[in-house]
Amino acid sequence: MITRKQPVTMMYSKALIKPDGEVLNYSDTSSGNEVLVFIHGYPFDQSIWKEQVIALSEQARIITYDVRGYGSSSKGKEKFSIDLFADDLIFLLDSLQVNKVIVCGLSMGGYIALNLVKRYAERVKGLVLYDTQCYADNTIAKAKRYENIALIRNGGKQKYLEDMCKILFSPVTFQQKYEIVKQTLNLMLKADDDVLMRTLEAMAERVESCSILAAIKIPVMILCGEHDMLTPPEKSAFMQQQIQGSVLHIIENSGHLGHLENKEAFNQHLNNFLKSF
Ligand code: MLT
């Protein structure tokens, strides 16, 4: 008898308690041959993937989680770093007894995904680099992060996040889908000041990943919004040139968050990628 996997209609999150008492909050659709892990960007949480969990749950087992300090994951006392974020994800996968995964990382999530490929290559069987880049921060970008840390420290979180929101979306989203802008800003405002500052420092101090791209031999799909101002298409094109066999798709009418701004195109690309395994 052929049993068809039931579609998922909601995300249910669960708390994983780590040995040090810290909480890692995740959701897991629990069945499917391939396992697809979504890693959110800064400063969001796993809820930004809810449409993808619903749309793709018949194609794969879908795991999403709140990066340390975001959503319902606790922040802990350790200094934040991209290494630490990647270690958290490995802890989650080990706890779920999941060995090899396809990873889709958005922006900072892409930094974490590339870190996994660098340090835990044997755990990654496919990679989606979504609105992200392989470069480390240059001097100007680094200085801007520390300026923003000072702004937040001085009570400027709201202004900082409102300004960030202004460059996240495409003109079409601002004109025709403004509810996405409002919902995203509300989500961003939930982030804790200390977590924002610690993450900015982690991103400022991250190392580049461009030098590992030529050695990647797994299937890689690169997605980028045509109007992405934070990680523009040139940065994706560079990664595509470096990774043999990788494909790049530009998502129309999208800025930095194509999975919300043009979810039909985004989901279709993910669907096609999953079918290739
Ligand atoms: C993100 O969307 O995760 C961040 O904007 C990435 C960054 O600031 O480098």
Side-chain angles (χ1 to χ4, degrees), residues 41-42 106-108 111 145 164 203 230 256:
Y42 167 86
L106 160 63
S107 203
M108 180 182 76
Y111 310 158
R145 304 259 196 217
M164 181 176 175
M203 290 195 287
L230 285 171
H256 195 57

Side-chain angles (χ1 to χ4, degrees), residues 1 17 23 52-53 61 75-76 91 94 100 105 133 153 174 176 180 186 202 205 215 217 233 235 258 264 268 276:
M1 189 175 76
I17 314 290
V23 175
Q52 283 64 44
V53 172
R61 172 175 174 183
K75 56 187 177 182
F91 179 82
D94 286 347
K100 275 183 180 280
Q133 59 179 330
R153 184 169 294 122
F174 278 112
Q176 295 170 21
I180 294 179
N186 286 338
E205 301 306 327
K217 299 288 177 237
K235 298 196 174 187
E264 295 76 15
Q268 190 59 55
S276 70

Side-chain angles (χ1 to χ4, degrees), residues 125-247:
K125 66 182 290 189
L127 184 61
V128 181
L129 295 169
Y130 165 38
D131 282 325
T132 192
Q133 59 179 330
C134 61
Y135 305 103
D137 279 4
N138 61 22
T139 318
I140 297 167
K142 213 180 245 210
K144 187 77 196 155
R145 304 259 196 217
Y146 284 101
E147 214 176 275
N148 285 330
I149 290 174
L151 178 62
I152 297 166
R153 184 169 294 122
N154 292 320
K157 174 173 109 173
Q158 175 111 13
K159 179 186 168 6
Y160 160 63
L161 291 177
E162 282 173 3
D163 286 350
M164 181 176 175
C165 211
K166 288 182 192 145
I167 52 165
L168 277 183
F169 300 98
S170 71
V172 172
T173 305
F174 278 112
Q175 286 150 18
Q176 295 170 21
K177 299 181 181 174
Y178 198 70
E179 69 287 355
I180 294 179
V181 179
K182 281 196 292 190
Q183 282 161 11
T184 307
L185 179 60
N186 286 338
L187 172 64
M188 291 159 74
L189 288 168
K190 286 188 191 164
D192 168 89
D193 289 31
D194 177 55
V195 168
L196 291 173
M197 292 188 287
R198 286 161 74 183
T199 316
L200 282 169
E201 188 181 359
M203 290 195 287
E205 301 306 327
R206 76 185 191 282
V207 296
E208 63 80 35
S209 298
C210 304
S211 53
I212 65 154
L213 298 182
I216 297 180
K217 299 288 177 237
I218 53 175
V220 177
M221 176 170 72
I222 302 167
L223 299 176
C224 187
E226 65 172 328
H227 300 291
D228 185 356
M229 284 184 262
L230 285 171
T231 45
E234 308 86 81
K235 298 196 174 187
S236 285
F238 175 75
M239 294 192 290
Q240 198 268 325
Q241 285 156 15
Q242 301 297 307
I243 308 172
Q244 212 186 355
S246 64
V247 288

